[in-house]
Amino acid sequence: MTGPDAVEPGPDAVEPGALEPEPAVPEHASPAGVHWRRRVAAYGVARDRSGRVLLVPGREPDHWTLPGGTVAHGESPQAAVARWTVAQTGLTPRVRPARTASADQERRPDGVLVHHDRLVFDLAVPAGPSAPRALRGGARWFTPDDLGGVYLPAYAAGTLGADADAKTADPDDPDDAWPVSRGMAMDGAGPNHRVQRFSTYARATDPDGRVLLARIATGYPSAGRWHLPGGGTDVGEAPAEALLREVTEETGQRGRVGRLLSVSHRHNPVARGWEGYPINWHTIRVVYELTVDEPTEPRVTEAAGGSTVEAAWMRPSEVDRQTLTDLAAAVL
């Protein structure tokens, strides 16, 4: 992979520094005993030369949505949106940087709450003589004026700046969400089970140009390395909301979330951490700019769960001398 937003044909190779620590927290259930399930989905915004946007049919008549769907375990979000776009429209896209990361929740008829982490990318699709004459699967191009008369799910309406007349489920089956344990999507328990984690991190700076980093504690993957402050999002949390919480827990700083910088992923089928046995671990990582206007002396709070041993402000010349995780090195 040549950069954090590159499209990849399959899982990354296992590398040192590939994983971020995850503190142990209780399994999530509502006070009434309603349990969570969780999935990650990636979508794309494609426009033609006249400014029309590409949409695919939803599950109900007159309901439309952006091309995309669930990110498979071990798959990069960029590869997922490309795969879904080909399947749903017949167009092979070039995936550009992500424009938004969001989350929402859906209550199923059986009472289970499904947490959807959604990533939306810009797409470039074939145009002119190289473009297919007909789109696949009922996909259509819509002018901006057309959007006011169609039903869009909330995430698509917000992305396109349209006023949705109604909200719909995604066109893919929401039952592919996994049960939640310790805030993460898991398809089992014990050695070698699969985990998918959605994480948010900060390239945090202060008015003097210093960078905020957190050092990983002993007993966690990448122990001793300096990492971007952040961590796994909880069910019910938006990525930016989770980022503010994580930065406060790990460093004691409060900041303002800025633009989305990158989306990447890492897959390690034999990850070994504090659990003491290998786990087939897949993490999807979003990185935001974060501005700390009034920096203080960094301190690690008890809420960090033991995964962070130290936090510090560093000047760029100091950062160059540190041992960083792969994500911190790529972003900084």
Side-chain angles (χ1 to χ4, degrees):
M1 186 164 102
T2 58
D5 284 318
V7 177
E8 302 161 10
D12 287 0
V14 178
E15 298 178 8
L19 300 176
E20 294 78 41
E22 173 64 32
V25 296
E27 183 175 356
H28 291 80
S30 75
V34 177
H35 290 273
W36 290 91
R37 296 177 72 88
R38 189 166 189 169
R39 66 189 280 268
V40 180
Y43 307 91
V45 176
R47 298 186 184 274
D48 65 8
R49 292 175 177 174
S50 65
R52 297 182 302 173
V53 66
L54 181 63
L55 297 178
V56 298
R59 292 185 292 176
E60 302 292 335
D62 299 323
H63 289 199
W64 297 83
T65 188
L66 299 172
T70 300
V71 179
H73 185 267
E75 183 180 36
S76 76
Q78 291 87 348
V81 69
R83 171 175 59 83
W84 281 103
T85 301
V86 172
Q88 294 169 339
T89 72
L91 298 176
T92 301
R94 180 163 55 88
V95 182
R96 292 175 170 171
R99 57 161 60 192
T100 63
S102 63
D104 55 77
Q105 296 76 45
E106 168 199 3
R107 185 180 293 276
R108 297 194 324 197
D110 60 3
V112 171
L113 285 170
V114 181
H115 176 101
H116 305 273
D117 293 297
R118 304 191 194 276
L119 299 165
V120 179
F121 296 85
D122 282 317
L123 303 179
V125 296
S130 62
R133 292 187 177 182
L135 296 173
R136 181 185 299 169
R140 279 182 50 193
W141 294 100
F142 286 79
T143 68
D145 289 340
D146 293 335
L147 295 178
V150 301
Y151 297 101
L152 297 170
Y155 78 88
T159 299
L160 299 175
D163 293 326
D165 295 320
K167 298 178 182 179
T168 78
D170 289 331
D172 50 296
D173 186 0
D175 287 340
D176 57 7
W178 288 358
V180 170
S181 180
R182 302 202 304 275
M184 299 174 287
M186 296 188 181
D187 73 340
N192 301 316
H193 71 278
R194 295 186 299 171
V195 172
Q196 192 174 59
R197 180 187 191 223
F198 193 91
S199 304
T200 179
Y201 297 95
R203 187 180 74 181
T205 56
D206 71 358
D208 292 332
R210 296 182 300 174
V211 177
L212 183 64
L213 292 174
R215 192 157 65 90
I216 300 171
T218 301
Y220 290 85
S222 304
R225 292 174 181 254
W226 289 93
H227 192 44
L228 301 179
T233 67
D234 205 349
V235 288
E237 277 189 314
E241 175 189 1
L243 180 62
L244 294 175
R245 173 183 56 77
E246 286 281 348
V247 170
T248 300
E249 291 174 357
E250 293 184 349
T251 71
Q253 309 300 299
R254 299 186 182 276
R256 294 181 290 109
V257 178
R259 66 188 178 99
L260 179 63
L261 294 176
S262 69
V263 174
S264 61
H265 85 125
R266 187 65 69 180
H267 180 214
N268 185 343
V270 290
R272 186 182 293 271
W274 55 265
E275 299 90 349
Y277 50 76
I279 294 174
N280 190 343
W281 184 281
H282 182 216
T283 182
I284 294 166
R285 312 173 297 191
V286 299
V287 179
Y288 289 93
E289 285 183 335
L290 185 82
T291 302
V292 179
D293 295 311
E294 299 180 1
T296 60
E297 185 67 23
R299 59 183 180 84
V300 181
T301 72
E302 291 183 4
S307 60
T308 301
V309 68
E310 181 183 4
W313 286 106
M314 298 186 190
R315 299 194 179 280
S317 59
E318 296 176 283
V319 174
D320 291 341
R321 299 194 297 269
Q322 309 303 320
T323 302
L324 306 177
T325 62
D326 69 307
L327 181 61
V331 170
L332 299 177

